[in-house]
Amino acid sequence: MGFDQLLGGLATVFTPEHLLFALLGCVLGMLVGVLPGFGPAAAVSLLIPVTFGLDATSAIIMLAAILYGAAYGGTTTAVLLRIPGEASSIATTLDGYQMAKKGRGGPALVIAALASFVGGLIGVIGFVVVAPFSRLALEFGAPELFLVSLLGFALITSFAGSNPAKALLSAAAGLAIATVGVDSGVGIARFTFDMPELFDGLGLVAVVMGVFGLSEVLGQAQKGPLGVPSPLKVARLLPTRTDLQRSAFPSLRGSLIGFFMGLLPGSPGAATSLASYAAEKRISKRSKEFGKGAVEGIAGPEAANNALAVSSMIPLFTLGIPTSATVAIMAGAFTMNGLIPGPLLFRDNPDVAWAIIASLIVGNLILLVLNVPLARVWIAVLKVPFHYLMAAILAFMFLGTYSINGSPFDILIMLGAGILGYIFQLVKVPLTPLVLGLILGPLLEENFQRSLALSRGDYGVFLEGPISLTLIGVIVLAILFGAVRPLIASMLKKKTTTPIAPKELAK
Amino acid sequence: MKKLTALTTTALAASVALALTGCGGTAGSTTTSAAADFPKAGSTIEWIVPSAAGAGNDILARIVAPAMQEDLGANVKVVNKEGGSQVVGLNYVAQAKPDGLTFGNTNIPSILGRYLDPSKKAAFDRSSFTPIGSFATNSVVIGVNKDSKYKTIKELFDAVKAEPGKITVGTDSRAGDDHINLRLLENALGLDFNIVHYNSGADKVAAIVSGETDFALGGVSSFFGQYKSGDIKLLTVIEDSPSSFVPDVPTMKSSGYDVDPMASNFALSVPSKTPKDVVAKLESALKKAAETPAVQEKLKGAATQPTWVPAADVSKMWEERETLIKPVIDELLKQQ
């Protein structure tokens, strides 16, 4: 494997037919990404039978384009309306929507597209470099994945805002919601109230749409027609030179985080882009601007998201093992088209394999070219007076939520989550820790149970091997620097401010 | 003007959403009582797949449905009704109007685990459905890592006997087919495995390739890619005669173990009160579809054996499997 074959693959892709299907896939993927709820997984499986008549390379090129195209599209509604089109766009809502409110929706969308492109490109380069070693990812077994999810909780401090206690409350609410359903290890039904709809737990996308999207609609409605400058001002479309400079390193770092997380079995895109956001916030000199419209908070997560979309295909290509539900559908698409995903792909059909990998570059380029001018079109949405726009958003959210499973029950979940999110906003509890708890809860629990089942109850299983020990070390450092240090700092501060307290009281 | 553009964009996107998700609703009248005119030209028959889009069931349905559609002269639309470990979708089929316009996957044996376990709150049992046939089977195999010290099924089982409860085996879900088959095997041969549950067939296979578990049991389709690439070695196929996908893998019988065959069947059923002649019409359409060479080729591509089992035989098999598996499920429930 190497860059020679990649160039060969590029030559294969540059035929009118393959380019056409790459374009088609990109456009479909973007549409699917823009529509909240209706995800790329559903779109790919609907299209698999359509691809039967096509040549296998074209078919897979198109289906893959839908997957990463959706990662671009999901950004649009996240920035403009604060509805994450896909769960992995949650991080983008944090600063993207704030930028849009300030009339900088255009630069936000363009930066997102550029960062996505960087992420996709680095993903492909990493694909070529790392693919021969991808077996190492399997070293992350149940105990290691448990520790990775535990480390994920350290991220909460980055989304805490001014009040860590409120962030913990929010995370606890997320963990509580995550317990709903039939436990996968022992089979005990928890909070299911004998309703089969609840056996598999509450749908992540429905909850996320409610917590972020609906709560915002409710919040705006409460302010009344005069609450928001309506329609929003839309200043310049293209990002400034400073925006670009500030996005460069976050995009690169985000790409690396996304790339490595994509290799791990079952690592969710939403947690990964939030991890990139947390990393940028911690590193940045302007961490105070995060949550108020910092471009770094868009560039990092968007790059991470797209690098992950590419790297999550590596285990499928090299080992034949799909590590996420979305990639599993790609695996189906391969077999349906007479290709066996895995090492045999490179032996028996190397031209097909490399053409598909090369198409990832072409597809990302197509998406970049499409997205920059499209930003102008999307931004027009913001010029619609808010009271009309809200009605359209509500309709979209109902439609999108229903389309996930064709289930009206999911709409009720979305509405309930929306009310919860609204109440949280009223009392200034941050929402991101809730989603983080909801995503990490099941991972934490399942891998904990699985580890102990494998070791037959021996807790030593978490201390075996260099990966586990390293992870434990990182967790300890994260706790020391993330929680203990601020705690000591605040205690020291209190001591120095104590003398002032009586005066304050006297007022 | 700009406002107008934005609104049109929104409207356009919304109509695309409708088209993609197929919210159009079920067309066609449902008053048909006799089969003479079943199905009315242009009516829509819903094939309810109780799992997510892209799951094994779903992919096979999308292969077979177009061929059925051609034969029936009506639309056969695959509809995913996911949730509640398939109970949501199966409830929907059991409670649908018995007019032949709704049928769904009632795969055997996996459906047994849904209604024999009272905690699943299934609103159906065997009597709620009338089978229309089964179009494919998936043989059950046992696989190990390519570097495993167990070279034959006998070596593996001897090791299990030597250290009961120590040898680990992965399943695709708790109380799913793999789990039930493993319990059947334990009972039949007096073995004791350390059974560990994963979230999907892919996770279970990954655990074998990485060496996290000692062996795995499951449908041959879930191991096929890794078997071909040599990452997984198959020790046995739990059938009376070898599988055409893995002809060199010895059967359980030839290895000297007396175990009933365990293949899973992709059976389809309508609600039980559906008129007999309507059932017959659907059965003949399914049979024709299942025997279409192009469909068979696609099914084989998905490492699934196209095998036609008539409706009457499916009913019999369903009853037999229920008798066999009920005690195992009762026992699993007691362990909770």
Side-chain angles (χ1 to χ4, degrees):
Chain A
M1 290 204 224
F3 289 96
D4 296 350
Q5 288 103 316
L6 186 65
L7 285 178
L10 271 176
T12 322
V13 176
F14 276 104
T15 58
E17 199 196 344
H18 290 156
L19 286 177
L20 179 72
F21 282 105
L23 176 68
L24 199 63
C26 289
V27 172
L28 280 171
M30 272 177 52
L31 273 179
V32 162
V34 169
L35 297 172
F38 189 71
V44 170
S45 69
L46 280 176
L47 283 172
I48 285 178
V50 182
T51 63
F52 282 169
L54 303 176
D55 118 80
T57 318
S58 295
I60 309 274
I61 286 178
M62 178 173 84
L63 297 174
I66 293 176
L67 292 189
Y68 55 80
Y72 278 76
T75 312
T76 312
T77 47
V79 168
L80 299 180
L81 311 172
R82 204 190 179 213
I83 305 171
E86 307 303 325
S88 49
S89 333
I90 295 170
T92 312
T93 61
L94 300 174
D95 278 291
Y97 184 66
Q98 295 304 325
M99 280 182 75
K101 268 186 159 176
K102 289 179 182 160
R104 301 210 334 118
L109 286 176
V110 175
I111 288 285
L114 285 168
S116 298
F117 177 72
V118 172
L121 198 64
I122 290 182
V124 177
I125 296 170
F127 199 132
V128 179
V129 176
V130 167
F133 315 104
S134 58
R135 198 167 287 264
L136 292 176
L138 290 179
E139 295 294 318
F140 280 76
E144 288 83 3
L145 291 174
F146 166 75
L147 293 170
V148 171
S149 339
L150 199 60
L151 183 59
F153 277 96
L155 295 176
I156 290 172
T157 53
S158 302
F159 299 98
S162 54
N163 193 335
K166 284 182 174 175
L168 285 178
L169 174 80
S170 176
L175 282 174
I177 296 174
T179 59
V180 174
V182 178
D183 139 84
S184 66
V186 197
I188 294 168
R190 299 178 299 205
F191 308 111
T192 56
F193 306 104
D194 289 349
M195 293 157 81
E197 287 84 356
L198 288 173
F199 287 175
D200 297 341
L202 300 179
L204 176 66
V205 181
V207 173
V208 163
M209 272 208 277
V211 164
F212 283 90
L214 186 61
S215 72
E216 176 67 16
V217 173
L218 291 175
Q220 297 291 358
Q222 183 204 22
K223 287 181 196 159
L226 301 174
V228 223
S230 162
L232 280 175
K233 281 182 308 233
V234 175
R236 58 181 291 147
L237 175 73
L238 290 176
T240 61
R241 184 180 285 266
T242 331
D243 287 337
L244 290 175
Q245 279 167 353
R246 284 174 59 177
S247 313
F249 283 107
S251 304
L252 293 176
R253 281 190 293 264
S255 304
L256 289 180
I257 293 175
F259 183 80
F260 285 107
M261 291 298 285
L263 295 173
L264 297 189
S267 85
T272 303
S273 42
L274 286 172
S276 160
Y277 184 92
E280 290 312 322
K281 190 176 174 186
R282 195 151 289 182
I283 291 171
S284 175
K285 282 180 235 141
R286 305 184 186 82
S287 58
K288 290 238 157 42
E289 282 178 41
F290 276 72
K292 300 187 185 92
V295 277
E296 292 92 336
I298 299 172
E302 282 298 318
N305 187 5
N306 270 57
L308 177 130
V310 172
S311 72
S312 63
M313 293 189 209
I314 296 178
L316 178 68
F317 271 75
T318 56
L319 305 169
I321 294 170
T323 50
S324 73
T326 327
V327 180
I329 292 169
M330 280 293 289
F334 272 97
T335 46
M336 289 295 93
N337 284 288
L339 299 166
I340 298 174
L344 291 185
L345 194 63
F346 289 97
R347 195 193 71 194
D348 299 342
N349 308 84
D351 44 333
V352 178
W354 285 104
I356 295 166
I357 298 170
S359 83
L360 302 177
I361 300 181
V362 178
N364 271 290
L365 197 61
I366 292 177
L367 283 162
L368 180 66
V369 172
L370 283 177
N371 267 279
V372 173
L374 262 181
R376 186 185 299 277
V377 179
W378 294 126
I379 217 78
V381 171
L382 289 182
K383 295 181 182 164
V384 178
F386 244 74
H387 46 288
Y388 295 134
L389 192 59
M390 289 300 157
I393 295 172
L394 276 179
F396 257 125
M397 286 200 301
F398 274 75
L399 188 70
T401 313
Y402 178 79
S403 71
I404 306 167
N405 283 328
S407 145
F409 191 79
D410 283 342
I411 295 181
L412 295 179
I413 294 176
M414 189 265 287
L415 291 174
I419 291 167
L420 181 72
Y422 175 64
I423 295 172
F424 271 27
Q425 277 194 317
L426 279 185
V427 293
K428 299 212 161 48
V429 173
L431 297 171
T432 315
L434 181 139
V435 177
L436 214 51
L438 185 59
I439 297 167
L440 294 175
L443 286 176
L444 200 68
E445 185 187 16
E446 273 164 26
N447 286 305
F448 182 71
Q449 283 184 333
R450 201 167 290 144
S451 306
L452 289 180
L454 284 165
S455 72
R456 295 198 291 168
D458 178 5
Y459 285 85
V461 71
F462 298 110
L463 301 171
E464 279 166 17
I467 301 177
S468 293
L469 292 175
T470 314
L471 283 168
I472 290 175
V474 176
I475 291 170
V476 170
L477 284 178
I479 294 174
L480 283 179
F481 284 92
V484 178
R485 198 175 66 165
L487 200 69
I488 295 172
S490 72
M491 273 158 63
L492 288 175
K493 217 169 158 191
K494 257 184 205 155
K495 266 186 192 157
T496 53
T497 53
T498 340
I500 312 169
K503 276 186 199 167
E504 294 274 308
L505 279 173
K507 276 184 195 171
Chain B
M1 193 57 216
K2 282 249 164 96
K3 277 180 198 173
L4 199 66
T5 333
L7 281 176
T8 1
T9 321
T10 326
L12 248 172
S15 54
V16 171
L18 272 173
L20 280 171
T21 53
C23 295
T26 318
S29 88
T30 47
T31 46
T32 326
S33 57
D37 58 343
F38 176 85
K40 280 196 176 145
S43 60
T44 298
I45 301 175
E46 288 193 337
W47 177 336
I48 306 296
V49 173
S51 14
N57 270 334
D58 177 63
I59 288 176
L60 300 187
R62 287 173 200 279
I63 294 173
V64 178
M68 276 184 87
Q69 175 163 317
E70 209 166 292
D71 183 65
L72 288 166
N75 302 314
V76 178
K77 194 171 91 186
V78 176
V79 178
N80 302 93
K81 289 255 179 239
E82 195 194 347
S85 341
Q86 303 200 346
V87 170
V88 172
L90 291 165
N91 274 349
Y92 183 88
V93 177
Q95 287 158 8
K97 207 168 181 185
D99 52 9
L101 293 180
T102 309
F103 65 84
N105 282 79
T106 50
N107 295 356
I108 301 171
S110 52
I111 191 171
L112 299 169
R114 320 289 172 206
Y115 66 86
L116 290 177
D117 172 357
S119 79
K120 292 240 158 62
K121 302 293 162 190
F124 58 84
D125 58 18
R126 187 161 52 83
S127 68
S128 314
F129 299 102
T130 305
I132 60 168
S134 167
F135 63 88
T137 56
N138 197 359
S139 297
V140 172
V141 295
I142 286 179
V144 294
N145 185 290
K146 64 176 190 313
D147 300 321
S148 168
K149 55 184 168 184
Y150 313 115
K151 307 286 178 218
T152 63
I153 191 70
K154 188 167 182 307
E155 285 178 27
L156 175 68
F157 284 173
D158 285 350
V160 175
K161 276 198 183 121
E163 289 181 289
K166 176 132 189 291
I167 308 286
T168 52
V169 52
T171 76
D172 57 0
S173 65
R174 191 187 177 280
D177 285 7
D178 293 356
H179 192 188
I180 290 172
N181 284 331
L182 282 168
R183 298 289 299 129
L184 284 173
L185 207 59
E186 284 184 327
N187 290 348
L189 302 176
L191 299 171
D192 182 8
F193 308 128
N194 178 13
I195 303 176
V196 180
H197 307 300
Y198 287 82
N199 267 343
S200 65
D203 288 355
K204 170 188 80 182
V205 168
I208 282 293
V209 175
S210 72
E212 186 168 71
T213 49
D214 293 313
F215 77 105
L217 170 146
V220 64
S221 62
S222 59
F223 295 103
F224 201 57
Q226 283 70 29
Y227 163 74
K228 280 275 180 193
S229 68
D231 283 313
I232 285 186
K233 206 165 53 187
L234 297 181
L235 297 184
T236 187
V237 48
I238 310 180
E239 291 281 356
D240 288 339
S241 51
S243 153
S244 62
F245 289 109
V246 287
D248 50 332
V249 176
T251 62
M252 202 67 137
K253 203 174 224 176
S254 69
S255 313
Y257 294 98
D258 186 22
V259 178
D260 290 325
M262 281 182 181
S264 48
N265 293 271
F266 292 89
L268 303 179
S269 298
V270 286
S272 58
K273 290 198 180 74
T274 310
K276 274 208 176 73
D277 35 4
V278 171
V279 174
K281 209 145 196 179
L282 286 170
E283 180 177 3
S284 101
L286 179 62
K287 180 169 193 272
K288 268 187 211 152
E291 287 172 351
T292 310
V295 169
Q296 295 205 333
E297 200 184 312
K298 291 283 174 208
L299 290 174
K300 282 182 191 158
T304 313
Q305 183 67 47
T307 318
W308 171 248
V309 184
D313 295 0
V314 173
S315 298
K316 212 163 40 174
M317 173 168 68
W318 193 333
E319 203 178 337
E320 284 168 10
R321 289 287 190 103
E322 189 182 283
T323 322
L324 184 72
I325 287 173
K326 192 168 187 318
V328 172
I329 291 177
D330 289 345
E331 193 191 346
L332 281 182
L333 292 175
K334 259 186 258 156
Q335 283 174 355
Q336 266 183 16

